[in-house]
């Protein structure tokens, strides 16, 4: 057969199309990718749940936090102890006794209790009225009568410049021991009382 036309395809033949193009070999898939393929639903569900929880927790975390309530002050910070004056001793007082009044004031905070009232000097004994424990409410004051008695003149102090009382205080915050200096009038009155008592014994 002769001719110059195009060659017709033979039987059972057809032209190449895009669907018949061979695919390039894919990349080898690792173990993590294969695991993800198997558990894709679970992974996506967990990620969605985490996102929801994170979104709902954000407003709570962003709220301003209330500061904790302030603690009550230490008892020493709110208590004053001042010397008032020498007072006449109770009836039947022994020679050599020296009684005086102090005022215990609580400026603020919770009530304060005096659990111990003492003096540091050898040769002297001490008592108070009322006796410890003595509770004083906030914004109030208690008058306390203190009586000192000379027990040994040889060991009693002389010419005191800054005599003090040792006081143990307790409130809701703490227990504290503190030495209160009662000032020059107390020093003068106490020194005069000690001299008078011991001069009387030495006669």
């Amino acid at each position: 057969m002769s001719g110059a036309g195009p060659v017709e395809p033979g039987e059972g033949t057809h032209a190449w199309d895009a669907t018949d193009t061979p695919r390039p070999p894919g990349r080898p898939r690792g173990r993590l990718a294969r695991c993800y393929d198997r558990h894709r639903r679970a992974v996506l569900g967990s990620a969605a749940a985490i996102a929801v929880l994170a979104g709902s927790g954000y407003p709570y975390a962003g709220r301003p936090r209330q500061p904790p309530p302030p603690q009550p002050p230490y008892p020493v910070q709110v208590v004053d102890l001042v010397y008032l004056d020498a007072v006449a001793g109770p009836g039947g007082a022994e020679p050599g006794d020296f009684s005086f009044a102090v005022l215990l004031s609580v400026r603020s905070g919770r009530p304060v209790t005096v659990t111990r009232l003492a003096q540091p000097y050898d040769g002297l004994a001490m008592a108070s009225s009322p006796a410890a424990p003595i509770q004083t409410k906030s914004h109030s004051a208690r008058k306390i009568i203190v009586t000192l008695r000379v027990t040994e003149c040889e060991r009693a102090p002389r010419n005191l410049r800054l005599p003090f009382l040792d006081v143990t205080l307790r409130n809701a915050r703490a227990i504290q021991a503190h030495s209160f200096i009662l000032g020059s009038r107390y020093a003068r009155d106490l020194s005069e009382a000690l001299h008078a008592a011991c001069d009387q014994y030495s006669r």
Side-chain angles (χ1 to χ4, degrees):
M1 184 183 255
S2 65
V7 177
E8 296 291 331
E11 288 185 20
T13 64
H14 60 274
W16 290 101
D17 59 17
T19 58
D20 294 330
T21 304
R23 294 182 181 175
R27 286 187 180 176
R29 298 175 65 81
R31 191 185 332 174
L32 186 60
R34 291 194 302 271
C35 181
Y36 172 74
D37 285 341
R38 284 197 302 269
H39 303 289
R40 181 181 301 176
R41 278 190 177 179
V43 170
L44 292 177
S46 299
I50 291 172
V52 169
L53 288 175
S56 62
Y58 176 75
Y60 178 79
R63 286 190 311 176
R65 295 186 179 180
Q66 295 294 330
Q71 288 190 313
Y74 288 99
V76 168
Q77 296 173 329
V78 296
V79 166
D80 290 321
L81 186 71
V82 296
Y83 177 72
L84 295 179
D85 210 344
V87 297
E94 296 291 330
D97 284 359
F98 169 57
S99 295
F100 59 95
V102 293
L103 189 68
L104 178 78
S105 304
V106 180
R107 297 188 301 274
S108 62
R110 306 286 183 83
V112 175
T113 300
V114 175
T115 61
R116 180 175 174 269
L117 193 63
Q119 58 82 35
Y121 306 109
D122 292 334
L124 297 179
M126 194 185 90
S128 69
S129 177
I134 307 165
Q135 187 180 68
T136 306
K137 296 179 180 179
S138 180
H139 303 290
S140 63
R142 290 287 297 270
K143 185 177 179 180
I144 304 171
I145 304 299
V146 177
T147 299
L148 298 179
R149 174 173 297 170
V150 177
T151 56
E152 295 181 55
C153 281
E154 295 80 7
R155 304 179 68 186
R158 295 289 200 281
N159 302 320
L160 294 167
R161 293 186 179 181
L162 294 173
F164 55 89
L165 291 180
D166 292 325
V167 183
T168 302
L169 304 167
R170 183 187 71 217
N171 71 354
R173 176 78 181 271
I175 298 176
Q176 290 182 296
H178 188 71
S179 296
F180 287 90
I181 297 173
L182 300 183
S184 58
R185 283 197 311 116
Y186 172 62
R188 183 188 65 243
D189 291 349
L190 177 58
S191 294
E192 290 176 358
L194 294 177
H195 278 292
C198 290
D199 288 348
Q200 180 179 355
Y201 282 127
S202 61
R203 288 172 187 168

